[in-house]
Amino acid sequence: MNLRLRTAIVSDPGLVRTNNEDAAHAGERLLVVADGVGGQPAGEVASEIVIRNLLPLDRTPIDGDPTTALTDALAAANRQIAEVGRTDPSRTGLGTTVTAVLLTGDRLSVLHVGDSRCYLARDPNFYQLTRDDTFVQELVDRGALTPEEAHRHPQRSIITQAVQGSELVPATVVVPVVAGDRLLLCSDGLSDVVDDDAIGEALAQHTEPQQCAEQMVKLAHQGGAPDNVTVIIADLHPA
């Protein structure tokens, strides 16, 4: 069955930062959240480069494997980010996370680098489709921290991989989906301050995507919103 996306997107600078280094896109079949790496120069430039390179996948037919199309577009963005860093010393070290979803028929191709996230809500269940590239996630994987402890850890924002112009190994997965599924893509400005229980409850309670996205940002504000917050809600419907 062919499916389509009904989407809403909200991007907010948060309550502490004056600029928004996040960039996002929610189209007919492509969803992307890119979060300029905190503390690095020109993070907003890197996130926009990633969006710009992935955007054509929303507008033209995909020849071949959708996952390959995503990884090729990201590789092109990575090369451009490297070039910006080489030619402009003030932007050396610029980088970004990326989480992207490409819908083809009834399958999602998911691409991920960093700590932005993709969740899938399928009543009554709620799954995280991505694994954070973070120091604390490595500790969780080794059994040194519980997920609850990781959520409160002071080093939870330290990422182990970003799109910064160097060698890159994005994670990819293909997920079958059905009508009625709901997707959430978000920057860590949401997931660092709002726990999964509250996220899952908001996904279940708010039927309209725009209302749901706005509620997610409201929850981040209630948690102090020390970082930029970007949220995409996408509901899957029959085409």
Side-chain angles (χ1 to χ4, degrees), residues 117 119 151 189-196 198-199 216 219-220 223:
R117 291 182 176 181
Y119 294 90
H151 185 74
L190 176 71
S191 55
D192 272 359
V193 297
V194 182
D195 64 31
D196 278 0
I199 289 174
M216 295 290 183
L219 290 172

Side-chain angles (χ1 to χ4, degrees), residues 125-180:
N125 299 309
F126 171 56
Y127 312 91
Q128 184 178 333
L129 297 182
T130 53
R131 174 195 174 277
D132 294 345
D133 291 322
T134 60
F135 169 69
V136 295
Q137 183 60 53
E138 291 181 353
L139 294 179
V140 171
D141 293 345
R142 297 203 300 262
L145 286 179
T146 67
E148 294 74 19
E149 290 169 336
H151 185 74
R152 301 188 299 270
H153 199 282
Q155 294 176 303
R156 63 185 179 274
S157 294
I158 297 177
I159 59 175
T160 56
Q161 183 172 225
V163 187
Q164 287 186 287
S166 55
E167 185 177 350
L168 189 62
V169 184
T172 60
V173 65
V174 177
V175 181
V177 286
V178 297

